[in-house]
């Protein structure tokens, strides 16, 4: 029996990531704000993060990650017909960062657009691309999570400036071929009642930056950390459980969980609630902090290149961010 279009399986043919050269350590932050390496390490797990150069934009990092993903997929940029960039730190408010990426890659037959779903954007993009490929609308898609958060941080606010970093991760999606794995199940969700807990209040149409408010740093990330923490644990646990159930997977079937990289305590809490031991949960926030949409994409690429999973293994991706937004995927590699 031939498969219906909606069931054409979609695989991840390649992953790539890029982080800027400049390292900002906890010791460096001790010189900027009233904090300590000890506080940051015990409360978050973060030891250092990367900071993009002044002339290094979100699109530049996205392109570098994408070239690695394309190379691994054995695909030319000219073969792409879809590029989705997930970012909350676009090069410009318009046009979309995806347009700069398309030009730089020379992917001139690709449709390119951005999505704004904060830390969940890469998996929102994965769901959209998967569906458009399995529908037969597109063949080859590039999904990217890329952020230059350092441009939207108040470097005098110790509640936020210790948490975030810059970077990009990418994945090439296409129809699965004989013997290849596929994205088994995806789940995405949103709770717009919680916009006040994590946001960048200024710089949009609701609150343009003016000479009168310029000194208030309103175009910087603001967060009520404790509240966000609680929602993050519950939503990620529930979402991961949903995709595991849809895929018929028990905790022992999961080779690796690749979660959003915001806080080691959040990751430990989720691992505990999913009954997955911590040696089967990937973390790299120690090196990069929270890079929002880029975080799970970079983590997926690093775990893949380190051989933490291989063909046939089942993995779970799970994320949470401003909005609130959350998302998960189960993948047979
Ligand atoms: O990517 C989107 C998702 N984001 C997240 O998931 C982030 C979720 N939240 C968190 O990761 C944690 O809530 C934080 C790491 C942001 C904060 O940790 P916490 O354990 O919730 O600490 P807290 O905010 O309750 O602050 C505890 C104390 C406070 O002092 P008092 O009021 O107890 O005297 C803070 O003023 O720690 C103080 N504090 C700091 N001290 C040293 C806050 N930031 C710092 C700092 N250095 N950087």
């Amino acid at each position: 029996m031939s498969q219906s279009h909606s069931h054409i399986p979609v695989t991840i043919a390649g992953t790539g990531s890029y982080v800027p050269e400049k390292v900002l350590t906890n010791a460096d932050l001790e010189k900027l704000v009233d904090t300590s390496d000890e506080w940051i390490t015990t409360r978050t797990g973060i030891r250092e993060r990367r900071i993009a150069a002044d002339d290094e934009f979100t699109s530049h990092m996205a392109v570098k990650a994408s070239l690695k993903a394309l190379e691994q997929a054995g695909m030319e940029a000219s073969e792409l017909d879809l590029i989705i960039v997930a970012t909350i730190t676009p090069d410009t408010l318009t046009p979309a960062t995806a347009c700069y990426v398309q030009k730089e890659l020379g992917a001139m037959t690709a449709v390119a657009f951005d999505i704004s779903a904060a830390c969940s954007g890469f998996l929102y993009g994965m769901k959209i691309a998967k569906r458009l490929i399995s529908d037969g609308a597109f063949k080859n898609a590039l999904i990217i999570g890329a952020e230059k958060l350092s441009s939207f941080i108040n470097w005098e606010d110790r509640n936020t400036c210790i948490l975030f970093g810059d970077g990009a991760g990418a994945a090439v999606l296409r129809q699965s071929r004989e013997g290849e794995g596929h994205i088994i199940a995806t789940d995405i969700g949103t709770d717009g009642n919680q916009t006040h807990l994590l946001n960048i209040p200024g710089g949009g149409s609701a609150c343009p930056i003016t000479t009168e408010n310029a000194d208030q740093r309103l175009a910087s990330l603001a967060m009520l950390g404790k509240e966000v923490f609680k929602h993050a644990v519950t939503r990620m646990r529930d979402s991961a459980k949903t995709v595991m159930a849809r895929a018929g997977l028990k905790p022992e079937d999961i080779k690796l969980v690749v979660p959003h990289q915001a806080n080691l305590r959040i990751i430990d809490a989720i691992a505990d609630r999913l009954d997955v031991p911590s040696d089967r949960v990937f973390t790299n926030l120690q090196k990069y902090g929270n890079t929002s949409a880029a975080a799970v994409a970079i983590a997926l690429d690093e775990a893949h290149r380190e051989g933490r999973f291989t063909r046939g293994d089942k993995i779970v991706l799970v994320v949470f961010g401003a909005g609130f937004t959350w998302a998960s995927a189960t993948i047979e590699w």
Side-chain angles (χ1 to χ4, degrees):
M1 203 169 73
S2 70
Q3 283 178 315
S4 79
H5 268 324
S6 62
H7 291 108
I8 294 174
V10 174
T11 197
I12 298 180
T15 61
S17 61
Y18 168 81
V19 290
E21 233 172 80
K22 186 181 167 191
V23 175
L24 186 72
T25 66
N26 290 350
D28 295 329
L29 284 165
E30 285 176 356
K31 293 174 204 143
L32 289 179
V33 290
D34 179 17
T35 191
S36 65
D37 174 43
E38 205 263 329
W39 192 95
I40 301 172
T41 308
T42 52
R43 297 289 180 127
T44 72
I46 300 164
R47 295 182 179 277
E48 54 189 46
R49 64 291 287 144
R50 301 300 180 95
I51 304 294
D54 289 346
D55 61 353
E56 186 171 41
F57 308 151
T58 296
S59 66
H60 301 151
M61 294 186 276
V63 166
K64 286 184 174 155
S66 298
L67 288 171
K68 291 182 193 163
L70 284 164
E71 186 189 15
Q72 194 177 69
M75 194 184 287
E76 300 292 330
S78 57
E79 297 174 72
L80 291 171
D81 29 37
L82 176 64
I83 299 173
I84 301 177
V85 174
T87 188
I88 52 165
T89 53
D91 288 16
T92 51
L93 280 181
T94 195
T97 299
C99 300
Y100 302 113
V101 171
Q102 184 226 33
K103 173 176 183 275
E104 201 51 40
L105 290 175
M108 300 319 292
T109 51
V111 171
F113 59 88
D114 286 3
I115 54 173
S116 172
C119 308
S120 307
F122 184 73
L123 292 193
Y124 271 52
M126 185 179 288
K127 171 136 192 152
I128 295 165
K130 176 193 174 232
R131 187 50 68 101
L132 290 172
I133 293 170
S134 64
D135 278 358
F138 295 101
K139 277 204 173 66
N140 302 321
L142 175 66
I143 57 169
I144 306 162
E147 303 283 9
K148 186 176 180 179
L149 287 161
S150 58
S151 294
F152 297 87
I153 296 297
N154 176 356
W155 290 101
E156 293 174 4
D157 176 11
R158 70 174 185 174
N159 290 305
T160 52
C161 77
I162 56 138
L163 298 170
F164 299 98
D166 301 334
V172 172
L173 271 57
R174 60 161 168 72
Q175 290 185 4
S176 300
R177 297 172 188 155
E178 191 71 35
E180 289 182 338
H182 66 291
I183 301 167
I184 306 170
T186 52
D187 171 62
I188 63 177
T190 308
D191 179 4
N193 287 318
Q194 315 298 343
T195 51
H196 57 292
L197 294 178
L198 176 53
N199 57 35
I200 299 176
S205 59
C207 177
I209 302 304
T210 62
T211 45
E212 284 73 36
N213 68 22
D215 60 342
Q216 294 175 47
R217 311 275 177 97
L218 295 171
S220 309
L221 265 166
M223 175 166 71
L224 293 173
K226 241 186 182 41
E227 289 304 309
V228 176
F229 192 113
K230 286 183 233 157
H231 287 271
V233 172
T234 313
R235 292 299 190 183
M236 285 200 276
R237 176 203 62 194
D238 290 350
S239 185
K241 282 194 167 175
T242 299
V243 289
M244 284 166 64
R246 273 192 214 148
L249 298 177
K250 297 193 183 63
E252 57 269 29
D253 302 326
I254 307 298
K255 179 76 179 196
L256 195 68
V257 176
V258 183
H260 177 48
Q261 305 286 314
N263 187 320
L264 207 50
R265 286 155 52 217
I266 295 179
I267 293 174
D268 287 344
I270 295 162
D272 184 55
R273 284 157 178 76
L274 294 177
D275 282 324
V276 174
S278 56
D279 62 341
R280 285 196 273 126
V281 180
F282 188 79
T283 63
N284 62 6
L285 57 73
Q286 299 86 344
K287 297 185 287 180
Y288 307 136
N290 180 350
T291 58
S292 189
V296 79
I298 298 171
L300 177 67
D301 178 54
E302 289 197 345
H304 184 209
R305 286 175 192 263
E306 287 172 20
R308 296 289 301 271
F309 56 84
T310 183
R311 174 71 54 88
D313 286 337
K314 314 279 197 313
I315 65 169
V316 174
L317 310 185
V318 55
V319 295
F320 178 85
F324 289 139
T325 57
W326 58 88
S328 296
T330 41
I331 300 169
E332 180 188 326
W333 203 261

